[in-house]
Amino acid sequence: MLAELHDEPQNSDCFWKSGYDKKVSPRKAKKKKAIFWGIEVPETLSWHDWKLGKEVIKHLTLKNVHRKAQKLSYRAPSTPSFLTVFPQPITLNPGMSVRLPVVFRPSEKRDYEDSILFMKAEGEFSVSLHALLPRCCLSIPAAVQLPVCATYSATEAAFPICNVGDLFCIFDWETSGPFFMSPESGTLKPGAKCLVKVIFKPEVAGVHYATATCWFGGEEKQKRTIMLKALAKYPCLCVSVTGKKPGKFQDVLYFGSVPVGTTVEKSVEIFNVSVVDAPCIIERAENPLLYGYVFSCNMSSDVVPAKGKLLLCIRFQPQVVGEHSTDYFTITSAGCHLKTVLKVVGSCKGPSVSLHQHSVSFDWINLGESLMRTLKISNRSDVPAYYQFDIDCKGSVFSLDRPSGVLEGTTTLTLKVTFRPTHPITYHRRVACLVHHQEPQYVDFFGTCHSDTAKPPILQKRHISWYRTNMVRGLTFYPPDILSEMLKSEKLQMDEKGALMLPPEVMRHYNNIEDDATICPSWCLTVRLRAHTYEAKQEHIIPQYILDVPKTFPPAVCDTDTYCSVLLSNTSTSLITFSVNYTEECPSVLVKPSLGHVIPGGHQIFLLYTHPVTTVLQQHVLSLELNSYPAYTKEIVLQSCGQSLRLLLEGDGIFYFKPLQIGTSSTRMYTIKNCTRLPMVFTWRIRQSDRKVLSVSPTTGILQPYEAMAQAWTFSPDKETKYVLRAVVFVKWKSPESPTDAHYVLRVVGEGAVGTIRAHKDYLDLGNVLVGDQKSYSIVLLNDGICTLNYILSVEQLFTGPHDPEEVRSDLLALELEHSRGTIPARSKASVRIKVRPARRLQYTWKIRYDICAPKAAGLANVKDKEEFLCRVVATGVYPTLRITDACTTGTARRNSKMHIWKLFSLDTLNEYLERDPTPGELTYKVPTRHSTCLIPPVYTPLLLDFDFGSAPVDSQPTCVMLLLENKGVVPVDWAFLFPSDQKMDIERWAEDVDFTPQELHQMRIQDNQLFSVSPKSGTLLPGQEESVQLSHRHDFIGNDRLPVLLKISHGREILLTFSGVTVEHDQRYVHFASTKHVFAPVAVGRSHPPTQIYKLYNGGSMPVTFEVQLDNLMKTQEENFQHPVFACLTPRGEIPPGESGHIGWIFSPLEAKTYTVDVVIQILEGDSTQITFQGVGYNPNYVEEAATSRNFFSSAIIPGSARLTVPGQAATLSHSRICLGNIPDCTKAGRLVFLNNILKSKAVVFNWQINAKEMVLEIAPNSGVVQPGESIPCFITLQPTRNPYFCRVNLVCEVYIQESLVQYERDLHKWEKEKERQAVEFTITEKDLDTKKKLTSPSVRLSDSAETECLSKSSPVMRKYKTLPPIKSQPPPSQPPGYTERRLPLDKDASQVWVKPEPPTPLSLHLDVSARSFAIEDFLSNFALDFPRYFLSRPYSAKPSDSKLVDGSGHRNRTDTERERLALAAASKKELEVVTDILAGVIRSLLENGHFQKSVRKIEDEPIPYFTQFHSAKSAELQDSRQGSTIPSRVSVSTALDHEKDGEGRKMRQEASPSDLPESSETFHHKQLRVKEIISRQPAVGNLVELLLENTLQNIMIEASRGEVVLTAQPRVIALPPSASQRITIPASPPSRV
């Protein structure tokens, strides 16, 4: 591996080559060269090995590598130590070079440095000159990055060090582990290099840094450092058996059943899942009890590459048939810290040979004859079987055609058995069939031979069975005759099988058989002999054979027999004799046969037997002598060992459980191991009293030889205490013939405890979470107890806020636990990750509880009945909320009121929509996305709104509306206005549909010409943040413009806004109707004075319009309602100036509590007619309060009270943009205070309130003035008494100018008018025949005004001689709407010389919306009695007829009649109106000229006082005055009564003051003065004067406070006045005054 080297810049010229101490002469090294503007020169000239007093010359070569000739000059070195030829110009042709000699003359022993400067036209460059003293210097990289390495492994990297000095350099490295340097020291000649290896041997994983220091030099040591960097990681090895599913690791390798004597090889893959190479060691697990290994591995160590695998081959060679083998291999890595255990399992299978019959009966034959029978032998196994029948076919009456051979797997062989008797007797022989690696099989051959003289009983199979039974019982020692006698004498009895019992006696002859039960089969004795004919010392035939000998006897229990077989195969062409001498050499082993021969190509099976007594390993050595020659003796070595029950318990028989929660359970694995070669059966037994606490699974099982098995132990404490439990495992051999068993004791130690879980924070507030979004948090769970706790978490969800319980019941749980189950160790903590995803805009509360549980075997959980509280989590689901908080207009619509804009843009409805929750369709695309392939994208929202920009003439200024967006929510809001083009995906042109619909063409025209624009179109608002958005409509084309724009709030609402605007022609009369439906404010049924309501029309054109209201449908409605005018139009005709609003007065007077509707056509003269639907609702005042309807009126448009938007160039602001005077009586006045603020710091502003004649009910003081920079001026808005119920909603406009621009305009206008007057009297004579011959030049500047008259020059021919001054040009006519500018003026050749009349500066329009509702006094008192004392009744000085009519309730009737008359007059023609006017004028004129009428009028003043006025007294007046605050006053004006009373009192006083009267007393005079004062104080003028005085006083205080002269919030001061000297002591002092 190559290392990553970071060379130092100054040594970048040093690089290494392979080898050590290879010298590279610096003089022979290629010098570095540079090219400057085509001149190639060396960067440096260096002198080495110089001596004092000797000159050293070197040449500096300059070469032209450019295509053109080069000229340059140079400057000689500045120091006298370096010399060169005299500087002179040098010219180099392409490819040519010149050598410049440089002489170095050292004068002292030091370092020299200088340079030669070369100059060209393009610039300068220099060549450095160095002459340095000999020194030691090493070039070493700054850092070395070593490859990543596994812990306890090693990696290395090499880097070069170079001696760049002039002296021999001895270096020595110092470093710290785990880094090592090789070589650690050395010597370098000048210019020599060597490679240094860095060896990295980490023991801990992590990033390792170290600094290696290299010391070098002679007497003065120098050092250089190099940074060593390396990364160490722990390797991770996993074992997987090949052929299994990828990704699933399995650490058990099964070989299955393998034929004996064969070798099977399987492989496993060792995967390295880490990123580092992992050296590993493969070792067999240590097992001192295992004597023979049947498993082997092909390697002992290797390296597994990173993210790679290693193939490990395991071989299995079983030796003992039926033995189950188990072994373990350990793969160790990372310094024996990480171990992976591989378990290998296999079993040995051998042949399975069986005889189809275990006896062959030949019945009887005559002497000299032979009989043949068949015997079938089968091998059910797939392993070939070597078989051999232990019979000498040549010397026996029974013979087989194939007494030995090989029986292939799963085959059956039929053998021929021949019976050739030689004597007339019974014959029986039990023949053993020896099978290699299998127990022998036995077969009985029997038959009987008869002769002419002897006919023995026929031997049957039952006789052989009886004989074996009798042999077991010892009766075979008696001859048959004795047995017959004893049977006859009943000394013996026959059992059901023919068994007999007698004392033992030797049977001599078997011919004396008298009874069938006493028949005894014949015996057969085989004598094995061997001999040879070789002479002494003569070598015998060399045997060629194969001997298959097992290494050990099969395992057997101590003091039992064990057998094994040996196969001797003769591979030669000659016979082999054999002899086994076991009686002397190895008496513990019995060999059968011990003597014999093997025919050529045949084989001999030996059966070996031993009887181990102890568990000590015994070695048996047998000598097999072949061909009777001692030199051909083969030693057979076998081992045997008796097996006794031995079980290994993990942990020396002690098993510990951690402290555990009561009521729960813990399961741990405990391992037991069979330490014998025989399988054993184990059984666990636990006390009955401990079974509730302790259990094990499985309780019983089979352990194969040397197998380790883990059992699952479950500890379930039921009380808080320490447990020491006892369990016993009983083991016995699997073979039923071994009844012995053993037991081992296991001590189990545990503890029951009580534990609880608590949360680090029991209350967690996640704050606001976006609906549909996700917020995560980790809850820290603490376990302070001593036991590990298994817990199950449950969540209960609660809602807070308006919601439908049935609807939210089906909602999913909004809090998701990363895992609901877990384990917390003792005295530790754990984290549970929660994810909150609210689905609604509600406040969520989740109660998290926990249960302590214990897993059972079935996978269920034993949960406690009571859940414990853990913590409470609170979160609030929110949507991004946006709100329009302010709006203002500029451009053409600057005179529109804020209320009008609020209505045109439906901002109330928009804010209402924005407050609602989005529908699922609106969340189809949660963020702005180009999702449509159509020009008109699909709509996923049900919310549609119109943004009406109004109307304006063509080529006028754009209509601009600024909206203030505010984030009223608690999460950031991403908003965007998406035009159709913003939602369309970019597709290839060939894929677009070229057939466009008219609607698509209309939208394309609008978007291409940018008739509608939004700036900015998108943005992000943090909570509480505001941003203004400008929406504009350009009036470039005549017609109606409509464009759907989607207002998209990411993760929130989606509202489709239809931008609409109208552009009209210049001469078109056009009224813009925002809607074709108007709803009047609800009016109570039965009101005598229904209020007047206003319907507004806006003239959006440049021409004044005249409107007429068609009253036909109103008359029909009146006829349908019993001639009652439900709808009355007070302004059936009117005129609206351009850019202004017209008011139509309406009275809605319902008869019933229902909804009334009427369609009224409004005709625009020389324009279009529009039908408007007027709707009104009448309500029953007994069920609906008047205050509720008033609140609806005042809150119909929720516009801000103060302006929050400022337009560019705005100079002033109003403290309020809306004033609500509320409900007031119609005979009072109400006022508010508004401040006009100058926000400029250096310029004064001039303001002027514009009040229309229709709005004279409002007074503003002051209505104009100047506001200095930074100052504020109070403006008092007063609503005068309306005298009639009225819905008042007035838009006041305050025009603000910058004083400086206004003064400049007046100056320019004055100059322009003065020049106009001058040009009006000045002219130029242009006749050529004048004597003077002098031409007067015309003024260079001409005035332009519409007042110029040209008819004068045309009427008189004399004037034609003279050239008049050019006409003056004025600004656009006043009929144009605000913002209109003429864009298409014809080009005049003298336009540059026209002096246009100065235009006034464009004012800033500040809008103030004033709203109020006035009531008749009786209606006000019936609905707002508690508010009545807050108002001052402005009483007139004289009685009005209308007031008197209100007393008897006839006012409404009269008013209705008046309204009828008005309607009749409105419906009358012009001629009818003229006739009525003429008649009334004649009547009035005749009355005024009638003298009698005049006298009658004068006599009215002298008429006597009416009778009823005499009952009025001072007491009643005082009583009435005292009750004014609590009683409901009458609307009857008392001024007339007071006047009459005053006149009456005056007459009385005049009568009393006559000379005939007596002088009045002082008391009477004082009473009269009080009476006069009372009368004066009750006059309306006095009350009005007092009210005006208080009003002015309060206004003065507010003005002084606004100027800072009075601080209204200052604390009051108490001033104690000194006592007056004139006061008596008995009189108490007056209280101190408060200032």
Side-chain angles (χ1 to χ4, degrees), residues 1062-1105:
V1062 180
T1063 302
V1064 299
E1065 298 180 358
H1066 292 295
D1067 55 351
Q1068 182 180 356
R1069 303 182 188 275
Y1070 178 80
V1071 173
H1072 185 75
F1073 293 91
S1075 175
T1076 58
K1077 182 179 181 180
H1078 180 75
V1079 180
F1080 291 115
V1083 177
V1085 176
R1087 292 299 183 205
S1088 59
H1089 304 87
T1092 301
Q1093 304 190 43
I1094 300 298
Y1095 177 70
K1096 294 183 179 181
L1097 301 177
Y1098 178 74
N1099 182 2
S1102 59
M1103 302 289 291
V1105 297

Side-chain angles (χ1 to χ4, degrees), residues 664-667 714 716 790-791 821 823 853-862:
T664 64
S665 62
S666 174
T667 301
T714 303
S716 305
N790 299 319
Y791 63 86
R821 299 189 177 201
T823 302
C853 63
K856 287 187 176 180
L860 302 176
N862 181 20

Side-chain angles (χ1 to χ4, degrees), residues 575-604:
L575 184 141
I576 298 178
T577 62
F578 64 88
S579 174
V580 180
N581 185 8
Y582 61 90
T583 56
E584 298 179 358
E585 298 179 357
C586 187
S588 60
V589 177
L590 178 63
V591 181
K592 289 184 180 182
S594 60
L595 185 67
H597 69 278
V598 183
I599 63 176
H603 60 265
Q604 176 64 48

Side-chain angles (χ1 to χ4, degrees), residues 499-611:
L500 302 175
M501 293 294 294
L502 278 177
E505 183 177 342
V506 179
M507 186 173 65
R508 298 296 181 183
H509 190 55
Y510 300 97
N511 292 328
N512 53 353
I513 299 176
E514 297 180 2
D515 196 339
D516 188 61
T518 61
I519 295 177
C520 182
S522 61
W523 292 358
C524 177
L525 180 61
T526 301
V527 179
R528 298 179 182 271
L529 302 172
R530 71 167 181 164
H532 63 85
T533 59
Y534 291 99
E535 297 179 357
K537 298 182 180 179
Q538 184 179 0
E539 184 177 0
H540 295 194
I541 299 176
I542 301 175
Q544 297 179 5
Y545 63 92
I546 297 176
L547 185 63
D548 184 10
V549 181
K551 297 180 180 180
T552 60
F553 277 94
V557 182
C558 289
D559 205 13
T560 59
D561 299 335
T562 177
Y563 301 87
C564 71
S565 62
V566 177
L567 178 64
L568 176 63
S569 301
N570 185 1
T571 60
S572 65
T573 59
S574 59
L575 184 141
I576 298 178
T577 62
F578 64 88
S579 174
V580 180
N581 185 8
Y582 61 90
T583 56
E584 298 179 358
E585 298 179 357
C586 187
S588 60
V589 177
L590 178 63
V591 181
K592 289 184 180 182
S594 60
L595 185 67
H597 69 278
V598 183
I599 63 176
H603 60 265
Q604 176 64 48
I605 299 175
F606 300 92
L607 190 63
L608 281 66
Y609 156 84
T610 187
H611 188 88

Side-chain angles (χ1 to χ4, degrees), residues 1137-1421:
E1140 299 291 340
S1141 296
H1143 295 183
I1144 301 179
W1146 290 84
I1147 294 179
F1148 171 60
S1149 177
L1151 287 178
E1152 302 177 75
K1154 69 174 187 178
T1155 302
Y1156 294 86
T1157 303
V1158 63
D1159 295 332
V1160 178
V1161 177
I1162 300 179
Q1163 175 68 41
I1164 307 300
L1165 299 184
E1166 301 181 9
D1168 298 331
S1169 299
T1170 304
Q1171 179 176 303
I1172 305 299
T1173 300
F1174 291 92
Q1175 179 178 315
V1177 177
Y1179 65 91
N1180 191 342
N1182 296 326
Y1183 298 101
V1184 181
E1185 296 182 357
E1186 190 76 31
T1189 60
S1190 298
R1191 285 193 298 269
N1192 294 335
F1193 167 72
F1194 294 122
S1195 62
S1196 60
I1198 310 175
I1199 61 176
S1202 59
R1204 304 170 65 178
L1205 269 175
T1206 57
V1207 298
Q1210 184 170 342
T1213 60
L1214 289 175
S1215 60
H1216 295 79
S1217 61
R1218 182 188 181 197
I1219 293 178
C1220 181
L1221 299 177
N1223 302 306
I1224 59 175
D1226 60 358
C1227 60
T1228 64
K1229 64 178 181 179
R1232 292 291 187 272
L1233 177 63
V1234 175
F1235 286 92
L1236 179 63
N1237 307 316
N1238 183 0
I1239 61 177
L1240 300 179
K1241 296 182 179 180
S1242 59
K1243 296 181 181 180
V1245 296
V1246 178
F1247 69 92
N1248 182 25
W1249 288 94
Q1250 302 292 327
I1251 303 178
N1252 297 332
K1254 305 172 186 177
E1255 302 167 353
M1256 290 306 294
V1257 293
L1258 290 175
E1259 291 183 356
I1260 304 176
N1263 59 357
S1264 62
V1266 179
V1267 186
Q1268 298 300 322
E1271 289 187 355
S1272 300
I1273 185 171
C1275 297
F1276 297 94
I1277 314 296
T1278 305
L1279 177 65
Q1280 299 298 329
T1282 60
R1283 303 300 177 184
N1284 289 315
Y1286 184 71
F1287 279 98
C1288 177
R1289 178 162 284 165
V1290 180
N1291 176 42
L1292 299 179
V1293 180
C1294 179
E1295 293 185 347
V1296 179
Y1297 302 85
I1298 298 178
Q1299 187 179 25
E1300 182 179 294
S1301 61
L1302 196 61
V1303 171
Q1304 183 64 33
Y1305 162 71
E1306 292 175 353
R1307 292 175 183 171
D1308 296 342
L1309 181 62
H1310 179 69
K1311 293 180 180 179
W1312 186 87
E1313 291 176 347
K1314 189 175 181 181
E1315 181 65 21
K1316 179 181 178 182
E1317 293 176 358
R1318 185 187 66 82
Q1319 292 189 14
V1321 297
E1322 180 181 326
F1323 59 92
T1324 303
I1325 300 175
T1326 60
E1327 288 188 77
K1328 299 181 180 180
D1329 53 352
L1330 293 178
D1331 296 337
T1332 59
K1333 305 295 183 181
K1334 185 177 181 181
K1335 296 181 180 180
L1336 298 175
T1337 58
S1338 61
S1340 59
V1341 179
R1342 295 184 300 160
L1343 297 180
S1344 176
D1345 192 15
S1346 60
E1348 180 73 25
T1349 57
E1350 298 181 359
C1351 59
L1352 186 63
S1353 62
K1354 296 180 181 179
S1355 62
S1356 175
V1358 180
M1359 296 301 296
R1360 294 175 185 172
K1361 297 182 180 180
Y1362 307 100
K1363 182 179 180 182
T1364 59
L1365 293 175
I1368 44 184
K1369 186 177 181 66
S1370 65
Q1371 50 184 329
S1375 63
Q1376 300 297 335
Y1380 172 78
T1381 57
E1382 186 68 34
R1383 296 185 182 180
R1384 297 170 181 166
L1385 292 175
L1387 294 177
D1388 189 3
K1389 61 181 181 179
D1390 297 331
S1392 61
Q1393 298 181 355
V1394 174
W1395 186 0
V1396 182
K1397 183 178 180 179
E1399 296 182 1
T1402 303
L1404 170 68
S1405 298
L1406 300 179
H1407 296 269
L1408 178 63
D1409 181 78
V1410 181
S1411 60
R1413 181 179 180 181
S1414 62
F1415 291 85
I1417 288 184
E1418 58 268 25
D1419 294 338
F1420 188 86
L1421 290 173

